[in-house]
Amino acid sequence: MPLRALVFDFDGLILDTEWPEFASVGAIWAEHGHELDLEWWRTIVGTATYVDWLERLEALVGRDLDHGEIRARRRQHHHALIAEQDALPGVVDLVEAAATAGIPIGIASSSPTSWLETHLDRLGLRHRFDVLVGRDRVEHAKPAPDLYLLACRELGVEPWEAVALEDSPHGATAAKAAGLRCVVVPNRITAAGPFDHADLVVASLADLTLGELESLLG
């Protein structure tokens, strides 16, 4: 079966926003005498449904915190760290290969669409993506299948004609529930998995070719 579309996750796959987020939240926790647990953090990566990190910290310190001031300062730190990042290895080559082959590509992300637009513009990649589906465009974010189902509809393909590229267990769950084949590229936040539900796990997008992705469709 020919490969008719690719659907990328964004955070942690195209751009390493996940380690800067962990680091910036961890810095806030350290200010209040607590260490942010990486194992707990890994359980929330790739989904918009979780116990808020600031509420969890507030419960630990046992007093009210200034949410507005803390979130603004944390966000500024996070954005400064992200601004230092380029696209992850293999992203540009795979995106350009798909464009050359006439294969449409989209993004299905649990981040807001505006977040995707801002960073794709900075990376010079916005024009390469035919469809952007952020969590603001669906009722349920990952691990629900909604993001991938909408991306496939807007790309004009059936889910089984497309391959999803993910970095997290929640993201892989969403892609498989939608009916796509799924390749996972773990990062240092998501490396612990589990990824037994993925069709393929590779160390980098640089390790993939369009032919290998098409072979997953059978």
Side-chain angles (χ1 to χ4, degrees):
M1 179 184 297
L3 176 63
R4 293 197 57 210
L6 292 177
V7 186
F8 290 70
D9 178 45
F10 183 76
D11 295 286
L13 180 81
I14 291 176
L15 185 65
D16 184 7
T17 62
E18 291 178 351
W19 187 262
E21 183 170 21
F22 175 74
S24 61
V25 172
I28 297 294
W29 278 51
E31 288 177 10
H32 292 83
H34 291 274
E35 182 179 355
L36 180 60
D37 180 40
L38 180 57
E39 293 308 311
W40 173 73
W41 190 261
R42 281 173 169 151
T43 68
I44 70 175
V45 172
T47 179
T49 307
Y50 53 83
V51 177
D52 181 76
W53 62 266
L54 186 49
E55 292 177 1
R56 186 180 174 107
L57 176 60
E58 196 169 55
L60 287 172
V61 301
R63 60 183 172 85
D64 291 342
L65 299 174
D66 186 340
H67 285 220
E69 185 274 333
I70 289 175
R71 289 190 192 280
R73 188 157 48 85
R74 199 286 308 176
R75 189 180 304 111
Q76 184 178 31
H77 184 197
H78 183 209
H79 290 184
L81 293 174
I82 293 173
E84 301 172 358
Q85 308 292 323
D86 291 323
L88 286 163
V91 170
V92 173
D93 287 345
L94 187 57
V95 165
E96 291 184 350
T100 299
I103 297 171
I105 57 176
I107 291 179
S109 170
S110 289
S111 291
T113 305
S114 59
W115 174 265
L116 307 178
E117 292 170 340
T118 295
H119 291 292
L120 289 171
D121 282 340
R122 180 177 69 81
L123 295 171
L125 293 174
R126 174 66 185 89
H127 67 291
R128 289 299 196 189
F129 288 88
D130 302 284
V131 168
L132 300 181
V133 180
R135 72 183 184 206
D136 51 300
R137 300 194 57 209
V138 296
E139 183 175 358
H140 302 291
K142 301 172 188 178
D146 303 33
L147 288 160
Y148 278 105
L149 291 172
L150 179 56
C152 286
R153 283 199 299 273
E154 294 195 348
L155 288 168
V157 301
E158 298 294 342
W160 57 84
E161 297 175 313
V163 173
L165 300 162
E166 271 288 350
D167 73 300
S168 74
H170 286 308
T173 296
K176 295 298 292 182
L180 289 79
R181 295 289 192 269
C182 182
V183 176
V184 171
V185 184
N187 56 52
R188 52 184 165 170
I189 292 288
T190 65
F195 297 118
D196 53 319
H197 52 324
D199 296 286
L200 179 65
V201 179
V202 296
S204 168
L205 286 179
D207 297 334
L208 291 172
T209 66
L210 292 179
E212 288 170 315
L213 293 172
E214 187 169 74
S215 71
L216 295 176
L217 300 180

